[in-house]
Amino acid sequence: MSRRGGGGRRPDSRRDQPTQAPAPSFQRGGGGAAGPRGRGRQGQRGGAGRGSHSGSGAAPSSPHTASTSTAPAPSSPSVSASASAPSSSSVSTLVEETEQKLTLAAPAAATLPPSSSQAMRFPVRPGFGTVGKKCVVRANHFMVQLAERDIHHYDVSITPEVTSKKINRQIISQLINLYRLTHLGERMPAYDGMKSIYTAGPLPFESKEFIIKLPDSDPRPSSSTRPRRERQFRVVIRLASKPDLYTLQQFLLRRHFEAPYEVIQVLDVVLRAAPSEKHTVVGRSFFSTDLGPVGQLGDGVEYWRGYFQSLRPTQMGLSLNIDVSARSFYEPILVTEFVQYYCRDLSRPLSDQVRLKVKKALKGIKVVLTHMEYNKSYKITGISSEPMSRLMFTDDNATRLSVVQYFRQRYNIGLQFTSLPALVAGSEARPIYLPMEMARTNAYNEDTLVNKEFGIQVADGLTSVDARILPAPMLKYHETGREASVNPGFGQWNMINKKMFNGGRVEVWTCVNFSTRLNRDVPFQFCQGLVDMCNSKGMVFNPRPVIPISSSNPNQIEKALVDVHNRTAQQGKQLQMLIIILPDVSGSYGRIKRVCETELGIVSQCCQPRQASRLNMQYFENVALKINVKVGGRNTVLVDAVQKRIPLVTDRPTIIFGADVTHPQPGEDSSPSIAAVVASMDWPEVTKYRGLVSAQAHHEEIIQDLYKSTQDPQRGLVHGGMIRELLIAFRRSTNFKPHRIIFYRDGVSEGQFSQVLLHEMNAIRQACASLEEGYAPPVTFVVVQKRHHTRLFPADHNRRDLTDRSGNILPGTVVDTHICHPTEFDFYLNSHAGIQGTSRPTHYHVLYDENRFTADGLQVLTNNLCYTYARCTRSVSIVPPAYYAHLAAFRARYYIEDETSAGGSTGGSRSTAERSLAIRPLPVIKDNVKDVMFYC
């Protein structure tokens, strides 16, 4: 296939083909980027977080009783040795320049409504898509109608401060019951559970203080010897602002671009008020044992039914998005009863293995203290390494004593299970030790607050939405197969009569088996069947392993891998592929990948022993697809890509990025977040992706390592970062420099749009400029959202031409009307075939678009790319570069799982600054591994 050189034409000259370049260098060409288009908004307002409040129940360090309640910069090769590097001042000014570009107003036009000068402006929808078969689907959005109301916002302060929203609601509910008809002027306020209440008219005062008494919420029955006590709170209500419904009306009529989130928040609080009092609130969802049957998950965990709700501005007006959900909860039992799920005999100390399991299970859980005058709750941060009978601490009087002694002296309580460790709450510096042993559903229109007070009406039925079904793309396979192309039906196809578009070559390979249950002949039979399948599908796979297939002790995995590597090296060869049959017991996959990819430089394919023993042809085919891309091959490509018929991709050298950040599980405070970026390395096919990973601060969403620079005493300013490294790799691979960038960014919530866009676009600009003065290819930045709650259903389940076999909407169904943003460039795309349950479409939202995609152009491109996913012969639910970034980040977490596994005695919380300082870089992936799609 002929290659065209990168060249000196300007990137914004769309129809020009790149001219031939003598070498893969960034010193030629460059050109200015097309000016930014579109507009946007500021991020959503978020409430400031409040620190935990220990209360006056006990001093820190005093034990209480509890029961459970609900890479370095890449050296530029010869390609950049002669490149004219930009000065540090020119690179540093890019931050200011990019920020200015991103906040520029859209070009003046009579049709563009006004917007705040301070708002970040996202692209305006360039029109609606027209490609595809028209149809109607139903969405779980419910229309909301508003009446005219004079909304007032009041600040609320409660003293002493309460961190529990549930108790806050009880306090304000008591206030409303006592004073609604008098001091509140017959108003019924809506309360958010924190610092704000809203009314549909003014209260008779601008500031007023109330004293509210609340009975102690002790679950145990009161008696004459233990009367229920009251707690007293001082509540101050002050006028804060007057949100105006008119601004919301103007926004929904597209006469104003800036969404009035304060007004939307008021209405959202009103709609959430009643369910917040009746159900358990988790984020934006409600759960209750009254909303459906409770299911048992085992080990003291059960699941409750519930629903999510959120008020959203859409093209058709305000919409209430409601989605069913379920969530696991710990059973309301004694902690000792919970521990018995892991260890029956509580008279003995827990083994280290059991103790770590219990610590992981309980970390972050709230427990209720029942031995003091008032009930009190603490969040568990860990468990002690010593049993309570030997666990010593210093009390407030500087006296050294054990937990058992303390409870006998202070509370006259003799602890029973003294061999158990203590629960640990509080901080690492001041731990608190707790013994384990003590103990149409919504009807909005019938809600007085919602309907009568605030004049809100919610439609009963699902919303009907205009949609289109995009055609599946033609896929190209090798000409030597019986079928050189395929037109997929219902989002899936197979490899029968087909050969891989580019079959990889494997000369040096072997297999190691860690399973002890397989028949001794199975590894040999498995490898023979797998090699035969690879060869039949177009690969060139040497049937003879470089060293004999072997079986090794699953308790000596690292030793076996090093031995295989050394024996191959002794023959003067580099292992291209190591096939591994995993141990029978799970838990070693991460260690295998870490050793292979970061220590030995081995590309590996792991197989489950259960699957290996079946010698199944379909399994061989699936594994062959993974092996091919891991040795540099390509399974299939788009016919339109080969024929250069993809607008804004195949006309000029284009690189497609995917990026994602994965965060550790709740409670894993010592683990970093991991960012991953992948980029296409083949043009015009855009099928092969190189991946890079980086660790960053715990729960940091913005990718920190896209671009970085350091000052070296000898070399001066040294540039680095993942974007820069991938741009250089693209140039090496294709002999072109990218003239266009498409960036798919996964995992960003709406409230983070502005921050992520500003920081990461700055990084992209700086990375480009660091390669060549003035190099600024136009960028399209698209956020990929899978974790939303919009669901699409067929309007008519009897129409077989509009549903798949599982009764879901068809692959390729796209929606850019009705339930989408009133003015911005977004769409929902269901690109995959549903297997079971309800298919969840992916939401794509364009935050920046210098390439000026049409609606059809971006929707069709995104849908077509979903058919190029390397690991299967099905279209996938999210665009592959974003999918690959997720896989790469997930893989990198395996590299550090041993280092961040549970251990120690307290596991106390640390500040964000402390966690940031403690971040260690990930183990460096070997270059030969990075060169292929190792994460597949």
Side-chain angles (χ1 to χ4, degrees), residues 915-933:
R915 289 197 299 266
S916 299
L917 291 173
I919 296 171
R920 285 184 291 175
L922 294 171
V924 177
I925 302 171
K926 297 296 184 180
D927 286 339
N928 67 302
V929 177
K930 283 193 295 186
D931 285 341
V932 297
M933 296 170 69

Side-chain angles (χ1 to χ4, degrees), residues 8 66 206 232 245 325 419 425-426 437 467 626 700 711 837 934:
E206 290 197 356
Q232 183 169 293
L245 281 176
S325 58
S419 61
E437 60 191 77
K626 296 181 182 181
E700 172 61 64
Q711 196 70 37
F934 66 94

